[in-house]
Amino acid sequence: MAVPIETIDLDVVGGDDVIEHPERLAESQKELGNQHFKARQYHKALICYSEAISFCPTSATHYGNRSACYLMMNKYQEALEDARKSVMLDPKYIKGHMRIAKACIALGDATAAENAISQAKEVSDDSSITQQESQLKQLKNIYDEIDKAGAKKDFRKALYYYDRALEVATACTKLKCMKAECLVQLGRYQDALDVTTETLQMDQNNADCVYVRGLCLYYQDNVDRAFTYFQHVLKIAPDHRKAMDAYKGFSKQLKVKKEEGNEAFKSGNFTQAYTLYSEALSIDPLNKVTNAKLHFNRATVASKLGRLNEAVSECTSALELDENYMKALLRRAKCYLDLGQYDDAVYDYEKAYQKDKSMEIKRLLMEAKLELRKSKRKDYYKILGVEKTASTDDIKKAYRKRALVHHPDRHANASEGERKEQEKKFKEVGEAYGILSDPKKRARYDSGQDLEECNDMSSNIDPNTVFQAFFGDQGGASAFHFGGGGGGGAGAFPGVFTFQFQ
């Protein structure tokens, strides 16, 4: 059982012995420390080893033991300092060299670890050297993989190797910051902040961690706050190249260019705004949040310029960068609606409603569904070849023209297939005129109300009756002569009437 430090009666040796025999007192403390160490009471062991060093500061073993204790407590920087002190006192102290290597590997310093192992080999062929060599080789191989992944900007793969590296270099602050920066590039901002928190709790002026936090803000389009972080980094470390590039380089350029685009848009100069937004998009391809907004801005401009297909494409690009970008989703839905692509419009509005069940989005969804239903019925305006704003006279003129073009008697000598097609079109022209020439029916048709009723009404319309009613009271050289009967001649519309030009 380990003996508590306070039970050691130093007076047994005598007051003069403290001065005359410090080695004996140091040895006693070392032995007591060893007992605590074996019992895994590392805090108590640390005190004993420190006492031993105070009595005999020229012993490599005392520093070596305290270094071992620090290693077990995961205090690698302190362990490294003591191990280096031990080999300064005794260059042939093999355990000191190995503890340097072990601490350096934990701290991620492969070069220093390699140097320590090389010096250890000059002193001894101890089997522990092979174990440290194996760990060092593993760490160096992982570093190589990180470099390869970084060169290809394969951040997912790099993250995998950062995790593997930290399993070996468990106390490497630099690796942790690099992992956090990798998480930023993957858009995992909260994870990046979590990784840096532990380091900043121990060292609030760690420039790399502060820089990563600035990046998190920058990539979330909080550029002004990001600037304050980058400025703080440059106060801590004036030569921090990444922070300098971010503050004076791409982040500032992006902010300025985006603001210039916004000003051009507000002044109504849409073409210039589009150009400025495009220039801003080329500055930093990795800033997904800001670039999503820039694509949305270009979509807004394209929509203002009547380039609806382009607006759809820009909204799609924005949603690829930020799938939860509601404004881009609603803008694309509206463009689909204006393009007459109602199925796509309904799909986008339904997706938006799943995310936000507000009354406004519900209204937009219902309107899109109505337009979709309307689109699946016959387009009587298209059949007559008129705009939806056509007047009654426009509709009459259009009917006159279309009815004469498609009347079956005019195609009596055509093939059977062509005759049937013209009969179908003649019928549709009559239906269109029957609906659109009646103000009440037209109003219901335009509003999309009573769609089934409109279909029933159109099915009850006899195109021949419409034709006769429209042309029957007209005389003159161009008058038509109707006759019933089913003579079935070549110029007959069976069972209804025939006509001829004079």
Side-chain angles (χ1 to χ4, degrees):
M1 179 177 177
V3 181
I5 296 173
E6 56 269 22
T7 63
I8 298 177
D9 189 359
L10 298 179
D11 291 337
V12 171
V13 182
D16 293 337
D17 284 352
V18 174
I19 299 173
E20 295 177 6
H21 303 287
E23 294 85 357
R24 289 173 55 189
L25 291 173
E27 188 66 21
S28 175
Q29 288 298 314
K30 185 191 80 170
E31 291 300 323
L32 187 56
N34 289 346
Q35 293 178 38
H36 287 311
F37 188 92
K38 290 176 182 177
R40 299 183 179 180
Q41 298 172 340
Y42 301 119
H43 287 282
K44 291 182 178 180
L46 186 67
I47 295 173
C48 292
Y49 292 142
S50 296
E51 285 290 323
I53 289 172
S54 69
F55 290 129
C56 187
T58 59
S59 171
T61 303
H62 298 337
Y63 282 102
N65 286 355
R66 192 168 72 173
S67 175
C69 195
Y70 277 131
L71 285 173
M72 297 308 295
M73 297 169 70
N74 296 327
K75 295 184 176 182
Y76 297 103
Q77 192 59 50
E78 293 89 338
L80 178 59
E81 292 172 5
D82 274 357
R84 283 176 171 165
K85 182 68 175 179
S86 73
V87 298
M88 285 178 60
L89 294 170
D90 181 4
K92 294 185 178 181
Y93 183 44
I94 183 65
K95 289 184 178 180
H97 290 297
M98 296 316 300
R99 284 165 189 160
I100 290 174
K102 189 169 185 178
C104 286
I105 289 173
L107 291 167
D109 191 343
T111 302
E114 189 170 30
N115 185 53
I117 290 172
S118 177
Q119 292 185 37
K121 285 183 175 180
E122 294 177 4
V123 175
S124 171
D125 58 355
D126 192 284
S127 60
S128 63
I129 296 176
T130 304
Q131 181 181 356
Q132 294 303 317
E133 275 189 310
S134 177
Q135 272 203 317
L136 177 60
K137 183 179 179 181
Q138 181 184 1
L139 183 60
K140 290 174 70 176
N141 288 340
I142 295 172
Y143 281 170
D144 288 341
E145 293 297 331
I146 289 174
D147 290 340
K148 291 177 186 177
K152 295 178 180 178
K153 297 190 182 300
D154 187 346
F155 299 114
R156 292 187 184 279
K157 190 173 184 180
L159 180 62
Y160 168 76
Y161 283 110
Y162 279 127
D163 285 332
R164 286 194 59 191
L166 285 166
E167 290 174 1
V168 180
T170 55
C172 184
T173 300
K174 184 176 180 180
L175 268 178
K176 290 177 182 178
C177 289
M178 292 171 71
K179 174 186 174 179
E181 189 172 346
C182 184
L183 286 165
V184 171
Q185 302 298 349
L186 290 170
R188 295 169 56 180
Y189 306 116
Q190 187 56 53
D191 290 338
L193 292 173
D194 291 343
V195 171
T196 60
T197 297
E198 181 182 354
T199 300
L200 287 171
Q201 285 175 344
M202 296 184 292
D203 178 13
Q204 63 180 355
N205 287 322
N206 184 292
D208 290 332
C209 284
V210 176
Y211 166 72
V212 168
R213 288 188 164 242
L215 275 186
C216 288
L217 291 168
Y218 165 68
Y219 282 124
Q220 293 179 88
D221 200 35
N222 196 340
V223 180
D224 290 332
R225 283 194 64 199
F227 279 170
T228 63
Y229 275 77
F230 296 145
Q231 286 175 326
H232 184 57
V233 173
L234 294 173
K235 287 180 182 178
I236 301 168
D239 59 346
H240 197 288
R241 175 54 56 186
K242 288 184 176 180
M244 192 176 299
D245 290 342
Y247 179 64
K248 296 182 178 180
F250 59 85
S251 61
K252 194 167 188 177
Q253 293 174 32
L254 185 57
K255 181 176 185 292
V256 170
K257 194 64 69 175
K258 181 184 175 185
E259 288 176 351
E260 288 177 352
N262 291 343
E263 287 301 317
F265 181 85
K266 290 176 184 177
S267 65
N269 194 338
F270 300 130
T271 302
Q272 184 183 8
Y274 190 91
T275 299
L276 290 167
Y277 290 142
S278 299
E279 291 174 0
L281 274 168
S282 67
I283 293 173
D284 185 6
L286 298 177
N287 194 328
K288 293 184 178 181
V289 174
T290 300
N291 288 344
K293 292 182 179 180
L294 288 168
H295 277 296
F296 172 75
N297 289 354
R298 287 211 305 186
T300 303
V301 173
S303 179
K304 290 282 187 182
L305 294 171
R307 299 176 346 215
L308 296 180
N309 285 312
E310 187 176 346
V312 167
S313 179
E314 289 296 333
C315 287
T316 300
S317 295
L319 290 164
E320 286 173 353
L321 294 173
D322 182 0
E323 62 180 7
N324 294 315
Y325 198 172
M326 182 64 77
K327 286 185 177 180
L329 187 60
L330 292 175
R331 169 71 67 181
R332 188 173 70 176
K334 178 64 167 61
C335 289
Y336 279 139
L337 204 60
D338 292 339
L339 287 166
Q341 299 177 24
Y342 303 114
D343 284 305
D344 292 325
V346 168
Y347 177 83
D348 275 357
Y349 280 129
E350 284 180 337
K351 193 172 182 181
Y353 189 63
Q354 289 173 2
K355 298 174 184 293
D356 179 6
K357 296 187 181 299
S358 67
M359 292 301 296
E360 175 61 17
I361 295 180
K362 183 177 181 180
R363 181 185 66 79
L364 292 171
L365 174 59
M366 297 306 293
E367 288 179 357
K369 286 184 174 180
L370 176 60
E371 291 301 321
L372 176 61
R373 289 199 305 273
K374 288 165 63 176
S375 72
K376 294 184 181 300
R377 65 185 180 176
K378 293 178 181 178
D379 187 342
Y380 290 137
Y381 290 103
K382 185 175 181 180
I383 290 171
L384 289 181
V386 296
E387 298 295 327
K388 292 184 179 180
T389 56
S391 66
T392 303
D393 286 341
D394 292 334
I395 290 170
K396 287 182 178 180
K397 291 176 183 178
Y399 173 71
R400 177 192 297 274
K401 179 179 177 181
R402 297 279 175 164
L404 293 176
V405 168
H406 298 299
H407 195 286
D409 280 359
R410 171 161 279 185
H411 305 279
N413 296 323
S415 66
E416 182 179 354
E418 177 64 19
R419 287 201 307 272
K420 288 184 177 180
E421 179 65 22
Q422 293 301 325
E423 287 175 11
K424 177 183 176 183
K425 290 182 178 180
F426 179 70
K427 182 176 183 297
E428 288 177 342
V429 168
E431 290 175 5
Y433 180 73
I435 295 294
L436 300 183
S437 62
D438 185 315
K440 291 184 178 179
K441 292 179 181 179
R442 182 179 180 181
R444 290 200 297 271
Y445 177 82
D446 287 343
S447 66
Q449 297 176 6
D450 302 323
L451 289 176
E452 292 184 2
E453 182 182 340
C454 283
N455 289 333
D456 290 340
M457 287 188 298
S458 65
S459 64
N460 292 328
I461 294 174
D462 185 340
N464 301 299
T465 302
V466 173
F467 188 88
Q468 187 171 2
F470 192 89
F471 290 104
D473 59 349
Q474 300 181 23
S478 62
F480 295 94
H481 299 278
F482 294 85
F493 187 22
V496 186
F497 55 82
T498 59
F499 74 94
Q500 65 182 21
F501 292 99
Q502 291 184 349

